[in-house]
Amino acid sequence: MRYQSTTGLVADQIEELVARIWQIVQCRKEQVWPPTVGLYRAVTLTLVYVRQNLNQAAVGDLFGVSQPTVSRVYRGILPLIGEALCLHVPDLEEAIRGRLVLVDGTDVPTGNRAGHEDNYSGKRRRAGLNIQVAADTEGGLLGISTPLCGSMHDRKVFTESGWEDLLVETSFIGDPAYQGTRAITPRKKPKGGELSAADKKNNKTISSLRSAVERCIAHLKNWKILATGYRGRLAELSNIIRIVTALEFYRLGW
């Protein structure tokens, strides 16, 4: 059965991932999925869940298992995926070296949660976590920052995540939210005046280059668990973002 459109990975990548997880499990002599499911199906089920962000009952219907079984498989397999793919996540400092870097912020929506009102973003009009995304000029993913409260401005997240210090010697482009950093940003229209022809041309060039990071974010959010509303425990979301990031790097062939 073909799974590429529902898992995001081609068959060879899934088989390689299953083989790595099998090696990890063999070393520990511990099975975290029901024997009736099988490792390949367990991995595929987990990939479908994070790629499509369906509810667990719907995933259970697709695979012919119960919702509690889906929950057990997902909670057992996802951390193993993270372990198996950890070496595919490049060190950001190495990944950006010698490149023109594009930076933009996006959110991982979570819905309103009691006790987490600081995750609500007035700009986006929804609650979530704010992450910074770094891409190259071809739209390839280079890195994702530590997620922080959704109410924080991109500029503040950029600084508090440590990226401002990390990119201090790197040429990078951002939108107007990054003014005040070393980012190359579009020039704003002066109050009561107009931009010069040179400034308009410069802004057009910057906007054209920045489209690549927007494509990068769109590809990242094809993992729908980061795009259409995370329903699980908020305490686990940062780790899920890390694992999904590893899956995206793996998909891209890092």
Side-chain angles (χ1 to χ4, degrees), residues 1-239:
M1 184 174 180
R2 295 177 61 208
Y3 286 111
Q4 183 177 358
S5 62
T6 49
T7 65
L9 304 180
V10 299
D12 288 347
Q13 288 177 316
I14 296 175
E15 290 172 4
E16 173 66 21
L17 180 57
V18 170
R20 293 184 191 182
I21 291 174
W22 176 251
Q23 290 176 341
I24 293 171
V25 172
Q26 286 294 98
C27 291
R28 296 177 182 171
K29 298 181 179 179
E30 178 184 6
Q31 183 167 316
V32 295
W33 66 92
T36 54
V37 175
L39 179 56
Y40 188 93
R41 287 185 73 219
V43 172
T44 305
L45 181 155
T46 304
L47 291 172
V48 169
Y49 183 70
V50 297
R51 185 73 176 182
Q52 304 300 330
N53 200 27
L54 302 173
N55 65 60
Q56 293 181 352
V59 176
D61 288 346
L62 289 175
F63 284 83
V65 297
S66 66
Q67 179 274 322
T69 298
V70 172
S71 179
R72 179 183 169 190
V73 168
Y74 165 71
R75 292 194 171 278
I77 294 295
L78 192 65
L80 292 174
I81 290 176
E83 289 184 54
L85 300 182
C86 63
L87 295 180
H88 287 270
V89 181
D91 177 73
L92 181 59
E93 191 171 0
E94 293 293 327
I96 65 177
R97 184 166 295 157
R99 299 178 188 264
L100 174 61
V101 179
L102 311 175
V103 176
D104 201 2
T106 189
D107 70 322
V108 178
T110 60
N112 297 325
R113 311 284 183 104
H116 295 277
E117 289 77 13
D118 56 348
N119 284 339
Y120 183 80
S121 168
K123 174 186 175 182
R124 298 183 174 97
R125 299 183 182 277
R126 63 185 182 185
L129 297 184
N130 187 315
I131 57 175
Q132 301 293 292
V133 178
D136 60 27
T137 53
E138 300 300 318
L141 180 64
L142 298 177
I144 292 177
S145 74
T146 302
L148 294 173
C149 297
S151 60
M152 295 172 64
H153 190 272
D154 282 343
R155 170 71 173 83
K156 188 173 183 181
V157 175
F158 181 71
T159 300
E160 295 201 3
S161 65
W163 276 27
E164 186 168 7
D165 292 335
L166 186 64
L167 295 172
V168 70
E169 296 182 358
T170 301
S171 296
F172 66 100
I173 293 175
D175 63 22
Y178 297 90
Q179 289 185 347
T181 70
R182 294 187 65 261
I184 302 167
T185 60
R187 187 178 294 275
K188 289 183 177 180
K189 182 187 294 186
K191 188 174 181 179
E194 293 292 332
L195 292 173
S196 67
D199 286 338
K200 289 180 180 179
K201 182 178 180 180
N202 184 57
N203 285 358
K204 185 176 180 180
T205 300
I206 291 173
S207 296
S208 176
L209 289 169
R210 281 196 64 256
S211 65
V213 70
E214 293 169 358
R215 290 198 306 273
C216 175
I217 291 173
H219 286 304
L220 177 67
K221 287 200 166 185
N222 280 331
W223 299 98
K224 299 301 183 185
I225 200 167
L226 303 184
T228 58
Y230 173 72
R231 297 182 292 270
R233 302 168 188 166
L234 278 185
E236 299 174 354
L237 182 52
S238 293
N239 192 45

